[in-house]
């Protein structure tokens, strides 16, 4: 495992954040495939988000009670971050403003970008991409379950 992956693995382990690679519209595990469940996101939505991120944006993906953040590393490779439950609650808290949530997403994306690339993150806008709940549930692709789970 190279140093960039080691940095992200350490961050993932200590903060309980799930981190995945996105390459040309397909989602893949960055670390142990038995530890995490791939997030349920349709291929069409995944490709749209990939294109939005390639325009130089961090993309905050909201839908079905979960929040994900996609950040481009280069034109071919992105990182998809599924924040831990504590952060998920902050994003879903009705008392917290959307502006505050978007700023938090940008800071989290910048931290992950810096850990992976060992460079200062570029200035990027945070776009919000809403998944429709119906699509989110019906277009499940690449869904795996945690090892030893009852699911």
């Amino acid at each position: 495992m190279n140093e960039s992956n080691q940095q992200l693995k350490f961050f993932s382990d200590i903060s309980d954040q799930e981190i995945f690679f996105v390459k040309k519209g397909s989602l893949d595990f960055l670390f142990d495939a038995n530890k995490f469940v791939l997030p349920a996101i349709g291929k069409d939505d995944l490709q749209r988000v990939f294109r939005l991120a390639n325009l130089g944006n961090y993309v905050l993906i909201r839908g079905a009670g979960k929040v994900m953040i996609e950040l481009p590393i280069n034109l071919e490779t992105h990182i998809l971050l599924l924040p831990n439950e504590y952060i998920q609650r902050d994003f879903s808290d009705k008392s917290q403003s959307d502006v505050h949530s978007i700023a938090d997403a940008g800071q989290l994306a910048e931290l992950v970008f810096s850990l992976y690339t060992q460079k200062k993150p570029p200035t990027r806008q945070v776009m919000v991409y809403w998944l429709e709940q119906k699509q989110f549930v019906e277009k499940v692709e690449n869904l795996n379950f945690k090892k030893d789970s009852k699911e």
Side-chain angles (χ1 to χ4, degrees):
M1 183 181 300
N2 65 28
E3 186 177 341
S4 295
N5 286 0
Q6 286 176 348
Q7 292 281 346
L8 280 185
K9 181 164 180 19
F10 179 71
F11 173 73
S12 175
D13 290 344
I14 65 169
S15 66
D16 199 27
Q17 316 275 339
E18 297 179 30
I19 301 174
F20 305 92
F21 271 136
V22 182
K23 294 185 178 186
K24 293 185 180 179
S26 67
L27 196 56
D28 197 9
F29 292 100
L30 182 60
F31 310 119
D32 182 10
N34 295 319
K35 184 176 179 185
F36 298 121
V37 176
L38 283 173
I41 181 171
K43 190 170 186 166
D44 291 341
D45 285 321
L46 195 61
Q47 290 174 347
R48 283 186 201 109
V49 170
F50 194 85
R51 287 192 301 269
L52 287 172
N54 267 348
L55 294 173
N57 303 297
Y58 297 128
V59 182
L60 174 62
I61 306 164
R62 298 187 82 151
K66 289 284 185 186
V67 176
M68 298 176 273
I69 304 166
E70 185 163 330
L71 54 138
I73 300 302
N74 56 47
L75 293 177
E76 302 291 320
T77 304
H78 296 184
I79 290 177
L80 182 70
L81 175 69
L82 184 61
N84 63 33
E85 289 304 314
Y86 177 76
I87 295 172
Q88 292 288 344
R89 279 193 306 267
D90 280 351
F91 278 109
S92 65
D93 185 5
K94 301 295 182 199
S95 66
Q96 186 178 22
S97 72
D98 285 335
V99 173
H100 184 73
S101 296
I102 292 170
D104 289 348
Q107 290 174 344
L108 192 54
E110 287 174 348
L111 175 63
V112 171
F113 182 92
S114 294
L115 286 172
Y116 186 74
T117 64
Q118 303 295 309
K119 297 178 185 174
K120 182 179 177 187
T123 303
R124 292 192 168 139
Q125 299 295 320
V126 177
M127 295 191 72
V128 180
Y129 184 87
W130 288 89
L131 298 173
E132 291 184 32
Q133 180 124 1
K134 185 176 177 183
Q135 289 179 326
F136 193 80
V137 172
E138 287 180 356
K139 294 187 178 183
V140 174
E141 297 178 19
N142 296 328
L143 183 63
N144 294 324
F145 295 104
K146 292 181 182 178
K147 190 175 184 177
D148 301 326
S149 76
K150 294 180 183 178
E151 298 164 312

